[in-house]
Short mmCIF file of all heavy atoms in Angstrom, two decimals:
data_model
loop_
_atom_site.label_atom_id
_atom_site.label_comp_id
_atom_site.label_asym_id
_atom_site.label_seq_id
_atom_site.Cartn_x
_atom_site.Cartn_y
_atom_site.Cartn_z
N MET D 1 38.07 3.76 -33.38
CA MET D 1 37.66 3.08 -32.14
C MET D 1 36.15 3.05 -32.14
O MET D 1 35.45 4.08 -32.30
CB MET D 1 38.20 3.85 -30.94
CG MET D 1 38.04 3.15 -29.68
SD MET D 1 39.25 3.88 -28.57
CE MET D 1 38.67 3.48 -27.06
N GLY D 2 35.57 1.91 -31.86
CA GLY D 2 34.11 1.81 -31.88
C GLY D 2 33.44 2.32 -30.62
O GLY D 2 34.11 2.50 -29.61
N ARG D 3 32.21 2.60 -30.78
CA ARG D 3 31.48 3.17 -29.57
C ARG D 3 31.15 1.99 -28.66
O ARG D 3 30.79 0.87 -29.08
CB ARG D 3 30.20 3.83 -30.03
CG ARG D 3 30.46 5.10 -30.78
CD ARG D 3 29.19 5.79 -31.01
NE ARG D 3 29.39 7.01 -31.74
CZ ARG D 3 28.45 7.94 -32.04
NH1 ARG D 3 27.23 7.70 -31.70
NH2 ARG D 3 28.79 8.97 -32.64
N HIS D 4 31.20 2.29 -27.41
CA HIS D 4 30.87 1.31 -26.40
C HIS D 4 29.39 1.48 -26.03
O HIS D 4 28.93 2.58 -25.74
CB HIS D 4 31.79 1.46 -25.13
CG HIS D 4 33.18 1.19 -25.46
ND1 HIS D 4 33.71 -0.03 -25.61
CD2 HIS D 4 34.27 2.01 -25.63
CE1 HIS D 4 35.02 0.02 -25.86
NE2 HIS D 4 35.35 1.28 -25.89
N ARG D 5 28.71 0.38 -25.90
CA ARG D 5 27.32 0.44 -25.52
C ARG D 5 27.18 -0.21 -24.16
O ARG D 5 28.01 -1.04 -23.78
CB ARG D 5 26.47 -0.30 -26.55
CG ARG D 5 26.42 0.37 -27.89
CD ARG D 5 25.24 -0.02 -28.70
NE ARG D 5 25.23 -1.49 -28.95
CZ ARG D 5 24.13 -2.05 -29.47
NH1 ARG D 5 23.05 -1.41 -29.75
NH2 ARG D 5 24.14 -3.39 -29.67
N LYS D 6 26.18 0.20 -23.44
CA LYS D 6 25.91 -0.34 -22.15
C LYS D 6 25.55 -1.79 -22.24
O LYS D 6 24.75 -2.18 -23.11
CB LYS D 6 24.71 0.39 -21.47
CG LYS D 6 24.43 -0.04 -20.07
CD LYS D 6 23.29 0.82 -19.52
CE LYS D 6 22.99 0.29 -18.09
NZ LYS D 6 21.85 1.11 -17.48
N PRO D 7 26.22 -2.65 -21.50
CA PRO D 7 25.90 -4.10 -21.63
C PRO D 7 24.48 -4.37 -21.20
O PRO D 7 23.94 -3.78 -20.26
CB PRO D 7 26.89 -4.79 -20.71
CG PRO D 7 27.41 -3.74 -19.80
CD PRO D 7 27.26 -2.38 -20.49
N VAL D 8 23.86 -5.32 -21.79
CA VAL D 8 22.46 -5.69 -21.52
C VAL D 8 22.53 -6.61 -20.29
O VAL D 8 23.14 -7.61 -20.33
CB VAL D 8 21.79 -6.36 -22.68
CG1 VAL D 8 20.40 -6.87 -22.31
CG2 VAL D 8 21.74 -5.45 -23.87
N GLY D 9 21.87 -6.13 -19.20
CA GLY D 9 21.87 -6.91 -17.98
C GLY D 9 20.78 -7.95 -17.99
O GLY D 9 19.98 -8.01 -18.88
N PRO D 10 20.66 -8.76 -16.97
CA PRO D 10 19.65 -9.82 -16.96
C PRO D 10 18.24 -9.30 -16.76
O PRO D 10 17.30 -9.94 -17.09
CB PRO D 10 20.09 -10.73 -15.75
CG PRO D 10 20.91 -9.79 -14.88
CD PRO D 10 21.57 -8.79 -15.82
N ALA D 11 18.11 -8.11 -16.21
CA ALA D 11 16.74 -7.51 -15.94
C ALA D 11 16.36 -6.48 -16.97
O ALA D 11 15.92 -5.38 -16.64
CB ALA D 11 16.71 -6.97 -14.50
N GLN D 12 16.59 -6.70 -18.21
CA GLN D 12 16.24 -5.78 -19.29
C GLN D 12 15.09 -6.32 -20.09
O GLN D 12 14.91 -7.57 -20.19
CB GLN D 12 17.44 -5.49 -20.15
CG GLN D 12 18.58 -4.80 -19.45
CD GLN D 12 18.29 -3.38 -19.13
OE1 GLN D 12 17.46 -2.74 -19.72
NE2 GLN D 12 18.90 -2.84 -18.05
N GLY D 13 14.38 -5.50 -20.81
CA GLY D 13 13.34 -5.89 -21.75
C GLY D 13 12.18 -6.56 -21.06
O GLY D 13 11.63 -6.02 -20.06
N PRO D 14 11.71 -7.68 -21.60
CA PRO D 14 10.47 -8.34 -21.13
C PRO D 14 10.53 -8.69 -19.65
O PRO D 14 9.56 -8.70 -18.98
CB PRO D 14 10.27 -9.52 -21.97
CG PRO D 14 11.17 -9.30 -23.17
CD PRO D 14 12.25 -8.37 -22.77
N THR D 15 11.69 -9.10 -19.16
CA THR D 15 11.76 -9.48 -17.79
C THR D 15 11.59 -8.34 -16.86
O THR D 15 10.87 -8.46 -15.82
CB THR D 15 13.20 -10.05 -17.49
OG1 THR D 15 13.50 -11.11 -18.43
CG2 THR D 15 13.40 -10.56 -16.11
N LEU D 16 12.14 -7.17 -17.20
CA LEU D 16 11.89 -5.98 -16.38
C LEU D 16 10.40 -5.57 -16.40
O LEU D 16 9.84 -5.26 -15.38
CB LEU D 16 12.73 -4.86 -16.89
CG LEU D 16 12.71 -3.54 -16.03
CD1 LEU D 16 13.11 -3.75 -14.64
CD2 LEU D 16 13.56 -2.48 -16.70
N GLN D 17 9.75 -5.65 -17.53
CA GLN D 17 8.35 -5.33 -17.62
C GLN D 17 7.51 -6.28 -16.82
O GLN D 17 6.57 -5.87 -16.15
CB GLN D 17 7.93 -5.31 -19.08
CG GLN D 17 8.49 -4.21 -19.92
CD GLN D 17 8.16 -4.36 -21.41
OE1 GLN D 17 7.57 -5.34 -21.84
NE2 GLN D 17 8.46 -3.35 -22.16
N ALA D 18 7.85 -7.57 -16.85
CA ALA D 18 7.09 -8.52 -16.06
C ALA D 18 7.24 -8.26 -14.56
O ALA D 18 6.31 -8.37 -13.81
CB ALA D 18 7.59 -10.01 -16.45
N ARG D 19 8.49 -7.94 -14.18
CA ARG D 19 8.65 -7.64 -12.73
C ARG D 19 7.87 -6.40 -12.33
O ARG D 19 7.34 -6.38 -11.25
CB ARG D 19 10.16 -7.39 -12.48
CG ARG D 19 10.94 -8.62 -12.46
CD ARG D 19 12.43 -8.41 -12.13
NE ARG D 19 13.21 -9.62 -12.26
CZ ARG D 19 14.51 -9.62 -12.08
NH1 ARG D 19 15.16 -8.54 -11.86
NH2 ARG D 19 15.15 -10.74 -12.24
N ARG D 20 7.84 -5.39 -13.13
CA ARG D 20 7.03 -4.18 -12.82
C ARG D 20 5.58 -4.47 -12.80
O ARG D 20 4.91 -3.98 -11.86
CB ARG D 20 7.38 -3.11 -13.90
CG ARG D 20 8.75 -2.45 -13.67
CD ARG D 20 8.93 -1.35 -14.70
NE ARG D 20 10.25 -0.74 -14.49
CZ ARG D 20 10.82 0.05 -15.32
NH1 ARG D 20 10.28 0.32 -16.53
NH2 ARG D 20 12.04 0.52 -15.09
N LYS D 21 5.11 -5.27 -13.66
CA LYS D 21 3.67 -5.67 -13.66
C LYS D 21 3.33 -6.40 -12.41
O LYS D 21 2.34 -6.24 -11.76
CB LYS D 21 3.34 -6.55 -14.85
CG LYS D 21 3.06 -5.76 -16.12
CD LYS D 21 2.69 -6.75 -17.24
CE LYS D 21 1.68 -6.20 -18.14
NZ LYS D 21 1.36 -7.06 -19.25
N LEU D 22 4.26 -7.37 -12.05
CA LEU D 22 4.05 -8.14 -10.80
C LEU D 22 4.06 -7.24 -9.59
O LEU D 22 3.19 -7.36 -8.70
CB LEU D 22 5.13 -9.21 -10.64
CG LEU D 22 5.04 -10.10 -9.44
CD1 LEU D 22 3.78 -10.89 -9.42
CD2 LEU D 22 6.25 -10.99 -9.36
N ALA D 23 5.01 -6.31 -9.54
CA ALA D 23 5.07 -5.42 -8.39
C ALA D 23 3.82 -4.52 -8.28
O ALA D 23 3.28 -4.32 -7.22
CB ALA D 23 6.34 -4.56 -8.47
N THR D 24 3.38 -4.04 -9.40
CA THR D 24 2.16 -3.19 -9.48
C THR D 24 0.93 -4.02 -8.98
O THR D 24 0.13 -3.52 -8.25
CB THR D 24 1.95 -2.65 -10.88
OG1 THR D 24 3.07 -1.90 -11.21
CG2 THR D 24 0.77 -1.71 -10.87
N GLY D 25 0.81 -5.23 -9.50
CA GLY D 25 -0.29 -6.13 -9.12
C GLY D 25 -0.30 -6.44 -7.68
O GLY D 25 -1.32 -6.44 -7.00
N LEU D 26 0.85 -6.73 -7.11
CA LEU D 26 0.96 -7.05 -5.67
C LEU D 26 0.64 -5.80 -4.81
O LEU D 26 -0.01 -5.91 -3.73
CB LEU D 26 2.34 -7.60 -5.33
CG LEU D 26 2.61 -9.01 -5.87
CD1 LEU D 26 4.09 -9.37 -5.58
CD2 LEU D 26 1.69 -10.02 -5.31
N ALA D 27 1.06 -4.66 -5.24
CA ALA D 27 0.81 -3.43 -4.46
C ALA D 27 -0.68 -3.13 -4.49
O ALA D 27 -1.27 -2.77 -3.46
CB ALA D 27 1.58 -2.27 -5.05
N GLY D 28 -1.32 -3.32 -5.67
CA GLY D 28 -2.78 -3.05 -5.73
C GLY D 28 -3.58 -4.05 -4.94
O GLY D 28 -4.51 -3.69 -4.26
N ALA D 29 -3.10 -5.32 -4.96
CA ALA D 29 -3.83 -6.35 -4.20
C ALA D 29 -3.73 -6.13 -2.66
O ALA D 29 -4.71 -6.24 -1.92
CB ALA D 29 -3.30 -7.73 -4.57
N SER D 30 -2.48 -5.71 -2.24
CA SER D 30 -2.32 -5.48 -0.83
C SER D 30 -3.11 -4.23 -0.34
O SER D 30 -3.65 -4.23 0.74
CB SER D 30 -0.86 -5.25 -0.48
OG SER D 30 -0.35 -4.14 -1.13
N ALA D 31 -3.21 -3.19 -1.25
CA ALA D 31 -4.04 -2.04 -0.92
C ALA D 31 -5.49 -2.40 -0.73
O ALA D 31 -6.24 -1.99 0.11
CB ALA D 31 -3.89 -0.97 -1.91
N LEU D 32 -5.98 -3.26 -1.70
CA LEU D 32 -7.34 -3.72 -1.63
C LEU D 32 -7.61 -4.55 -0.37
O LEU D 32 -8.65 -4.32 0.28
CB LEU D 32 -7.70 -4.49 -2.89
CG LEU D 32 -9.09 -5.13 -2.99
CD1 LEU D 32 -10.09 -3.96 -3.09
CD2 LEU D 32 -9.19 -6.03 -4.17
N VAL D 33 -6.75 -5.44 0.02
CA VAL D 33 -6.91 -6.27 1.20
C VAL D 33 -6.87 -5.37 2.46
O VAL D 33 -7.68 -5.56 3.38
CB VAL D 33 -5.83 -7.35 1.26
CG1 VAL D 33 -5.82 -8.00 2.64
CG2 VAL D 33 -6.06 -8.39 0.17
N ALA D 34 -5.98 -4.39 2.43
CA ALA D 34 -5.92 -3.50 3.63
C ALA D 34 -7.26 -2.67 3.79
O ALA D 34 -7.72 -2.51 4.85
CB ALA D 34 -4.72 -2.55 3.51
N THR D 35 -7.79 -2.24 2.64
CA THR D 35 -9.03 -1.50 2.73
C THR D 35 -10.20 -2.38 3.21
O THR D 35 -10.95 -2.01 4.07
CB THR D 35 -9.39 -0.97 1.32
OG1 THR D 35 -8.30 -0.14 0.89
CG2 THR D 35 -10.65 -0.13 1.33
N VAL D 36 -10.30 -3.65 2.69
CA VAL D 36 -11.32 -4.51 3.13
C VAL D 36 -11.21 -4.84 4.62
O VAL D 36 -12.22 -4.85 5.32
CB VAL D 36 -11.33 -5.78 2.26
CG1 VAL D 36 -12.22 -6.88 2.82
CG2 VAL D 36 -11.75 -5.48 0.85
N LEU D 37 -9.98 -5.10 5.06
CA LEU D 37 -9.76 -5.40 6.50
C LEU D 37 -10.15 -4.21 7.36
O LEU D 37 -10.76 -4.37 8.45
CB LEU D 37 -8.34 -5.83 6.73
CG LEU D 37 -7.96 -7.23 6.27
CD1 LEU D 37 -6.51 -7.47 6.48
CD2 LEU D 37 -8.76 -8.30 7.09
N ALA D 38 -9.81 -2.99 6.94
CA ALA D 38 -10.10 -1.82 7.75
C ALA D 38 -11.59 -1.59 7.84
O ALA D 38 -12.06 -1.11 8.87
CB ALA D 38 -9.43 -0.63 7.15
N LEU D 39 -12.33 -1.97 6.83
CA LEU D 39 -13.79 -1.73 6.81
C LEU D 39 -14.53 -2.85 7.52
O LEU D 39 -15.67 -2.67 7.98
CB LEU D 39 -14.28 -1.63 5.42
CG LEU D 39 -13.80 -0.41 4.65
CD1 LEU D 39 -14.25 -0.46 3.21
CD2 LEU D 39 -14.34 0.86 5.36
N THR D 40 -14.00 -4.08 7.63
CA THR D 40 -14.75 -5.16 8.16
C THR D 40 -14.33 -5.68 9.57
O THR D 40 -15.13 -6.20 10.30
CB THR D 40 -14.67 -6.37 7.23
OG1 THR D 40 -13.30 -6.75 7.05
CG2 THR D 40 -15.27 -6.04 5.84
N VAL D 41 -13.06 -5.54 9.95
CA VAL D 41 -12.59 -6.05 11.20
C VAL D 41 -12.82 -5.09 12.32
O VAL D 41 -12.46 -3.88 12.19
CB VAL D 41 -11.08 -6.35 11.09
CG1 VAL D 41 -10.52 -6.84 12.45
CG2 VAL D 41 -10.81 -7.45 10.03
N GLU D 42 -13.42 -5.49 13.39
CA GLU D 42 -13.63 -4.68 14.58
C GLU D 42 -12.41 -4.66 15.42
O GLU D 42 -11.72 -5.68 15.58
CB GLU D 42 -14.78 -5.27 15.40
CG GLU D 42 -16.11 -5.16 14.71
CD GLU D 42 -16.67 -3.77 14.51
OE1 GLU D 42 -16.40 -2.90 15.44
OE2 GLU D 42 -17.27 -3.43 13.52
N PRO D 43 -12.05 -3.51 15.99
CA PRO D 43 -10.90 -3.47 16.85
C PRO D 43 -11.12 -4.30 18.13
O PRO D 43 -12.20 -4.36 18.66
CB PRO D 43 -10.74 -2.01 17.17
CG PRO D 43 -12.01 -1.35 16.91
CD PRO D 43 -12.71 -2.21 15.83
N ALA D 44 -10.07 -4.95 18.66
CA ALA D 44 -10.20 -5.77 19.78
C ALA D 44 -10.20 -5.05 21.10
O ALA D 44 -10.68 -5.49 22.12
CB ALA D 44 -9.08 -6.84 19.83
N SER D 45 -9.65 -3.87 21.12
CA SER D 45 -9.59 -3.10 22.35
C SER D 45 -10.76 -2.19 22.49
O SER D 45 -11.32 -1.68 21.52
CB SER D 45 -8.31 -2.27 22.38
OG SER D 45 -8.27 -1.42 21.30
N PRO D 46 -11.11 -1.80 23.74
CA PRO D 46 -12.26 -0.88 23.94
C PRO D 46 -11.78 0.48 23.65
O PRO D 46 -10.59 0.78 23.50
CB PRO D 46 -12.50 -1.10 25.43
CG PRO D 46 -11.30 -1.53 26.05
CD PRO D 46 -10.59 -2.40 24.98
N PRO D 47 -12.76 1.40 23.44
CA PRO D 47 -12.38 2.79 23.13
C PRO D 47 -11.65 3.45 24.30
O PRO D 47 -11.77 3.02 25.42
CB PRO D 47 -13.74 3.49 22.81
CG PRO D 47 -14.77 2.64 23.51
CD PRO D 47 -14.17 1.23 23.45
N ALA D 48 -10.88 4.47 24.02
CA ALA D 48 -10.19 5.18 25.01
C ALA D 48 -11.18 5.79 26.08
O ALA D 48 -12.27 6.14 25.69
CB ALA D 48 -9.31 6.27 24.44
N PRO D 49 -10.73 5.86 27.31
CA PRO D 49 -11.70 6.38 28.32
C PRO D 49 -12.05 7.82 28.17
O PRO D 49 -13.07 8.26 28.61
CB PRO D 49 -10.90 6.21 29.65
CG PRO D 49 -9.47 5.94 29.29
CD PRO D 49 -9.49 5.50 27.86
N ASP D 50 -11.31 8.63 27.41
CA ASP D 50 -11.65 10.04 27.23
C ASP D 50 -12.48 10.21 25.97
O ASP D 50 -12.74 11.38 25.63
CB ASP D 50 -10.40 10.87 27.15
CG ASP D 50 -9.48 10.49 25.98
OD1 ASP D 50 -9.64 9.33 25.50
OD2 ASP D 50 -8.63 11.26 25.57
N ARG D 51 -12.95 9.16 25.35
CA ARG D 51 -13.81 9.35 24.19
C ARG D 51 -15.10 8.57 24.39
O ARG D 51 -15.13 7.57 25.04
CB ARG D 51 -13.06 8.70 22.93
CG ARG D 51 -11.81 9.42 22.63
CD ARG D 51 -11.24 8.96 21.32
NE ARG D 51 -9.98 9.63 21.12
CZ ARG D 51 -9.26 9.53 20.04
NH1 ARG D 51 -9.66 8.79 19.04
NH2 ARG D 51 -8.12 10.19 19.89
N ALA D 52 -16.12 9.07 23.75
CA ALA D 52 -17.46 8.41 23.86
C ALA D 52 -17.46 7.22 22.97
O ALA D 52 -16.84 7.21 21.93
CB ALA D 52 -18.52 9.42 23.41
N PRO D 53 -18.20 6.18 23.39
CA PRO D 53 -18.33 5.01 22.51
C PRO D 53 -19.02 5.35 21.21
O PRO D 53 -19.72 6.36 21.13
CB PRO D 53 -19.21 4.03 23.33
CG PRO D 53 -19.19 4.54 24.75
CD PRO D 53 -18.89 6.03 24.67
N ALA D 54 -18.86 4.46 20.23
CA ALA D 54 -19.46 4.75 18.94
C ALA D 54 -20.97 4.78 19.08
O ALA D 54 -21.58 4.02 19.71
CB ALA D 54 -19.04 3.63 17.94
N GLY D 55 -21.61 5.72 18.44
CA GLY D 55 -23.09 5.86 18.48
C GLY D 55 -23.60 6.69 19.59
O GLY D 55 -24.76 7.02 19.58
N VAL D 56 -22.72 7.09 20.52
CA VAL D 56 -23.15 7.94 21.61
C VAL D 56 -22.62 9.31 21.38
O VAL D 56 -21.43 9.52 21.16
CB VAL D 56 -22.65 7.40 22.95
CG1 VAL D 56 -23.03 8.27 24.10
CG2 VAL D 56 -23.12 5.96 23.23
N PRO D 57 -23.47 10.42 21.47
CA PRO D 57 -23.00 11.75 21.19
C PRO D 57 -22.04 12.17 22.36
O PRO D 57 -22.22 11.77 23.49
CB PRO D 57 -24.26 12.62 21.18
CG PRO D 57 -25.27 11.81 21.88
CD PRO D 57 -24.92 10.37 21.64
N ALA D 58 -21.03 12.91 21.98
CA ALA D 58 -20.10 13.42 22.95
C ALA D 58 -20.77 14.44 23.84
O ALA D 58 -21.58 15.23 23.37
CB ALA D 58 -18.88 13.98 22.20
N PRO D 59 -20.39 14.41 25.19
CA PRO D 59 -20.96 15.43 26.05
C PRO D 59 -20.49 16.82 25.66
O PRO D 59 -19.38 17.08 25.25
CB PRO D 59 -20.48 15.02 27.45
CG PRO D 59 -19.25 14.15 27.18
CD PRO D 59 -19.47 13.58 25.80
N GLN D 60 -21.41 17.77 25.82
CA GLN D 60 -21.11 19.19 25.48
C GLN D 60 -20.52 19.92 26.72
O GLN D 60 -20.94 19.67 27.87
CB GLN D 60 -22.39 19.96 25.04
CG GLN D 60 -22.99 19.41 23.82
CD GLN D 60 -22.11 19.56 22.57
OE1 GLN D 60 -21.44 20.61 22.44
NE2 GLN D 60 -22.04 18.56 21.72
N ALA D 61 -19.56 20.78 26.51
CA ALA D 61 -18.99 21.55 27.59
C ALA D 61 -19.97 22.57 28.11
O ALA D 61 -20.74 23.13 27.36
CB ALA D 61 -17.72 22.20 27.12
N ALA D 62 -19.94 22.81 29.39
CA ALA D 62 -20.83 23.78 30.04
C ALA D 62 -20.37 25.17 29.64
O ALA D 62 -19.19 25.46 29.65
CB ALA D 62 -20.86 23.62 31.50
N PRO D 63 -21.32 26.12 29.35
CA PRO D 63 -20.85 27.49 29.01
C PRO D 63 -20.42 28.29 30.15
O PRO D 63 -20.60 28.07 31.29
CB PRO D 63 -22.17 28.14 28.40
CG PRO D 63 -23.25 27.23 28.78
CD PRO D 63 -22.71 25.88 29.17
#
């Protein structure tokens, strides 16, 4: 009786490698876009009332 081998599916070999490369490229691109947006886009809402605005030192507690 001959040995049975796993049948070759449609996503084997070069196709699987291409899909992995595409997924890696898209993940890297999305991370880069998220970083650029986080660094360049200003938030639309004002700061919380219990926090000092950017550039203003926080008040010190009295001893």
Side-chain angles (χ1 to χ4, degrees):
M1 190 160 159
R3 292 186 178 186
H4 296 282
R5 294 199 303 167
K6 183 177 178 181
V8 177
Q12 296 289 335
T15 305
L16 183 59
Q17 291 174 353
R19 286 183 184 176
R20 285 182 179 163
K21 278 182 145 177
L22 178 63
T24 303
L26 290 174
S30 66
L32 180 64
V33 169
T35 302
V36 168
L37 284 175
L39 295 174
T40 59
V41 175
E42 294 291 325
S45 61
D50 61 339
R51 297 187 185 186
V56 177
Q60 299 293 322

